Amino acid sequence: MRLHTFKIGGVHPEENKITAEIETRNAALPKVAIFPLGQHIGAPAKPVVKRGDAVKVGTLIAEAGGFVSAPIYSSVSGTVAKIDTSIDATGYRQPVIIINVEGDEWEDGIDRSEKIESIAEHPELTPENISDTIKKSGITGMGGAGFPTFIKLCPPPTAKAECVIINGVECEPYITSDYRLMMEHAEEVIVGLQLLMKAAKVERGYIGIEENKPEAIKLLTQLTADDSRIEIVALAQKYPQGGEKQLVDAVINRQVPAPPAIPVNVGAIVQNIGTAYAVYQAVMKHKPLFERYTTVTGKQVKNPGNYLVRMGTTFAELIRACGGMPEGDNKVLAGGPMMGKSVMSLDVPVTKGTNSITILSGDDAHRKAMQPCIRCGKCVEVCPMGLEPYLLATLSANKLYERLENEEVTSCMSCGSCQFTCPSHRPILDNILQGKGVVMGMIKARNIKK
């Protein structure tokens, strides 16, 4: 079997996929559900409910706040307690809708049957109504930045989509939620891909999966054997293979230029496995996005596992379901150890982008003491974007923002490969991200003046 991969950089962190063979369980309903209004890139959603309103599972509670935005649906039934602010995974307070949970009553229009619908059974579906359903259902990217999915299906006039690539890589250590989704709902994922292909008006589809998931590669290959338009692409194991640009390089051997270029500029629309599944549920089952697969894991966690979680459930509730916090020092991440964010509170809720809650314990929870840079160049060698991380970090630390922009800091994908490989344990990525934020602000201010 020929294995594909991206050409520049990459690292090989320890896998720690300790939940890979644990079947997904339904997480318990929360007593109180918290819905941040900014679960996606772009404008926050706007509440359409008020205190005292009764809602069901699948009720619209916030509408899109602009073109680049997405609506939010209740994952629970109960009463709106208040519209307030709460800390999210980034540590900042943002507007939220808080619902007291009372039972589990669903909206009537949602098809809860287990019958798998095929695209051939629904000739009435057009590209336009598929895309419109995706938009109205609040579907966003569920493996990365949370970009509203419908926008990717409407590329700018200067770009033409030629294929849809589904990201089944899951290269981050620990996380297995996408793998379990592929193993447990492979047929629905494939129909989701077919729907995305129809919406994008393309005749080629790919699902990229790393070699450490041989059962998923085998299963999806068997299920797509009769559809010559779809190819399952086996990928060599290397981080960050799940990055959009790296995946496009690995699967179709095309290189996406520096920002503002995006994958569709070279003909590819990239979506996550979870997004493909959500598209199937929205179009075929009339089910808006309000729950997702999430891994709760860590070397010292008593009962790690994979869960189907109603959004709005707090980290604290899921961690209790896994046996509680381990003894000693712990760091709780929203996401994996490479790109995940350390949370300040366990009252942070699961949102559309929460693919994992990772608990690092003991020595793993602490950074090693920083040492002087030894000019080894390892950070340059592993950077998947071909940047010079040591230079970007230095420019940022010294606030040389104009040169930082000229050195293409906006191309940094925040993968952490540089910091991971640094023998001196320097906070390379931390410094880069601080400077990148300033540069992005400069660029935005210039564009506003134009």
Side-chain angles (χ1 to χ4, degrees), residues 53 110 120 130 132 147 177 236 254 297 341 345 371:
D53 284 353
I110 299 173
I130 293 171
D132 188 54
F147 200 75
S177 52
R254 297 182 187 179
T297 183
K341 291 179 170 58
S345 167
Q371 302 295 327

Side-chain angles (χ1 to χ4, degrees), residues 130-139 149-150 153 196 279 283:
I130 293 171
S131 183
D132 188 54
T133 299
I134 290 170
K135 179 180 181 179
K136 290 179 178 177
S137 299
I139 299 174
T149 299
F150 80 94
L153 301 174
L196 287 165
V279 166
V283 177

Side-chain angles (χ1 to χ4, degrees), residues 386-428:
L387 304 174
E388 297 180 86
Y390 74 91
L391 175 60
L392 299 180
T394 301
L395 293 174
S396 179
N398 288 288
K399 300 183 179 181
L400 300 172
Y401 299 125
E402 290 186 3
R403 187 179 171 193
L404 188 63
E405 181 180 359
N406 292 335
E407 294 292 340
E408 298 187 352
V409 69
T410 56
S411 289
C412 173
M413 57 182 288
S414 310
C415 69
S417 295
C418 54
Q419 197 157 298
F420 171 81
T421 199
C422 178
S424 295
H425 313 298
R426 299 187 67 77
I428 301 172

Side-chain angles (χ1 to χ4, degrees), residues 58 71 73 106 109-113 115 117 122 124-125 129-140 142 149-150 153 188-189 191-193 195-196 273-291 352:
Y73 291 81
W106 290 48
I110 299 173
D111 180 359
R112 302 175 68 183
S113 73
K115 179 182 181 295
E117 304 285 340
H122 294 275
E124 76 280 4
L125 293 174
N129 60 35
I130 293 171
S131 183
D132 188 54
T133 299
I134 290 170
K135 179 180 181 179
K136 290 179 178 177
S137 299
I139 299 174
T140 64
M142 296 174 70
T149 299
F150 80 94
L153 301 174
E188 296 98 313
V189 166
V191 177
L193 169 56
L195 289 167
L196 287 165
I273 280 284
T275 305
Y277 182 58
V279 166
Y280 167 83
Q281 291 192 309
V283 177
M284 298 301 199
K285 297 293 187 177
H286 315 293
K287 179 181 176 182
L289 180 59
F290 55 74
E291 60 184 358
K352 297 177 183 181

